Amino acid sequence: MKYTTHYNFKKPEKTDFYNIDDSNYNTDKTEEALIAKADKVTNNGFIAGNNAANAAGGVAIGNYAKVSGAGGAIGSEAEAKKGFAGGYSADSTGNGASVGCDAHSYHGFAGGNCAQAGSGAAVGDNAKCGTLSNGADIDCIQLGKGTNGKEFTLQTYNYQITSCDGTPSATSGKYLTDVGKLSDLKTNDKSNIVSALNELADFNQSSAIAIKFSGQITAPSYDVDINSNGNWEQMFNIPAIEVTCAEFDKITIPAQQIHVAETYDLGSDWNCYIEYYKFNGNIQSSGVCYNIIKNPYDREFFKIDTTDNSISKLRIYIGNIKLGYIYNNNNEKDYYGTLTTPFETARLITNGNSKTSKSSTITFAANNSSIADKLSADVLCDGTNDRRIIHESLKNLNGARANIEFKYGTYNLNIDGIDYYSDDPDFSDAKNCAIHTANMSIGNIMGNSATFNITSNLVGKNLCGIEGYDSDIIRDLKLNINFSSGASSVSILQGGSSSYFENITISCVSSSNDTELLWLNGGKFVNSKIIIDACEPSIYAENCILSGVRVQDNIGYAHVDARNNTTITGCRGLSISIKQNVSGVIAANNSDTVIYNASTLTNGIYNNITS
């Protein structure tokens, strides 16, 4: 007697007699093998795989594949209800479909490794449709890795392609926000094709109007009036404005005072405008403001009444308001706000678009900036004579107010050698300064995390990094300072009453006995970091705010000479010294901070520090 290899059936020899028991044995083995065979029809459906299971009409293929409705599941541990799941551990818990390893869907479609879509569709590795705060699935579309958390929108990776306008319906509410290179449009609105076309239709009525102020825009106070609830208001003194247009004779709008108000909860950065409009044949005016982050479409513009070629509406930029807060001793928010106004006395508004609605901007690119940044920059630095290139570019402004933007990269500013300020009598105090803004009408300096390597080997000189007395905002810069031991004194940052320094990282190497990181009389120095390597630096602070300043050092604290009406809060690593007869100093909620001569302080507050 012989036996088969796989199922062990009996195979009688030719010399054996027929045995009914052997035949029955083989029949039982055959039936047993057929029953154990993986693929089979059950419940009007189909299953194939070890421990696969299905419900009526379903298809389950794979190890532990499972269908609980009439759907289909293909793959090891794949599960589906009335939808489809294909891939290892893919599951569809509703009527949707999931394709890919660990893909999950409910009534939507998820395609790709770990893709998830309760509703809507998510396609790509780790593409996901999010959920609302109550746990409900968001109906949206996500293409590529990322999570779309906005209902009724389409997003590729982290870029939103379509938007939802109000409550969607079958005929409205879903529209494209950007297709192709809309950013190249010359309209104010560069993200919405419908708004851009409407802008052209509304404003393409006249070549230009010229706006000329008889004086400068001012305010009764440049400290914004803001109450404990964050509600703020500001008054503007508007001089007489002369308006000239080819379509009608010159007109003069009389001087007046304009009131603007809003609340901190709606934003902390506001552009303010005076708006003139025709009502019952008369020109009336009002003040308006727009949060520049949440309302990117604010702009200067004009409209012409085609019935008589007169102005029907005119909007003119008059200033910017920045708001903030610090916590007092009761852990309550104390709000503050500052105002800046434009310095230009005339501007041209062409086809509804202001050419100089705010201060113009000069963009610099470093020698190692990206190709895209170099192509878009106004001035390209060479990495060796960057101080000369920057200064000559600023001189060409001829006193016109301008902002400066430095693209990401490294700028080498060496103070030694040729004195680029020597032929300017107004800059006698700037000869040993890397960047000097006084008398140059420089507004904001935006750094985009650019690095300034400021170096000098001059002996017996007073050296300065950035002098920003006349500047409004200096933000997002990394300053690497390396001065020789022969310098008489070192001052890295200098600012006045309108200066606002934010996100500045200072790394200082200086052997001078008189190294001043910051000289600030008025203004603010916030959310910045100081790295002390080889100096014992000081900060002169008077009538100003130091907030969120962190010191990381190898040799000790950064010493603060705190003068009248100075607030120091949320800082770390400071040594605060109070001079005799100083008043109004607030030092609160700081860490790793010491204070000296606190007993001499009058009308002041200090806590969370060791005196």
Side-chain angles (χ1 to χ4, degrees), residues 408 449-453 476-480 503-507:
Y408 178 78
S449 297
T451 298
F452 284 4
N453 291 328
D476 302 331
L477 283 173
K478 298 178 181 178
L479 307 181
N480 293 334
N503 194 25
I504 308 293
T505 297
I506 302 175
S507 178

Side-chain angles (χ1 to χ4, degrees), residues 233-246:
E233 61 180 357
Q234 181 63 41
M235 299 298 294
F236 291 88
N237 297 319
I238 311 296
I241 302 175
E242 185 179 90
V243 182
T244 306
C245 179

Side-chain angles (χ1 to χ4, degrees), residues 19 69 77 113 172 187 202 206 319 397 474 483 515 519 522 557 604 609:
N19 187 330
E77 300 181 29
N113 177 50
S172 66
T187 53
D202 287 342
S206 179
L397 292 172
I474 299 179
F483 290 153
T515 298
W519 193 98
Y557 295 98
I609 45 184

Side-chain angles (χ1 to χ4, degrees), residues 3 102 132 144 182 210 313 321 407 420 500 550 564 567 581:
Y3 294 88
D102 285 315
L132 298 174
L182 288 184
K313 193 167 186 180
I321 289 175
K407 295 294 188 180
Y420 303 116
Y500 182 91
R550 306 173 305 284
N564 293 326
T567 297
N581 299 322

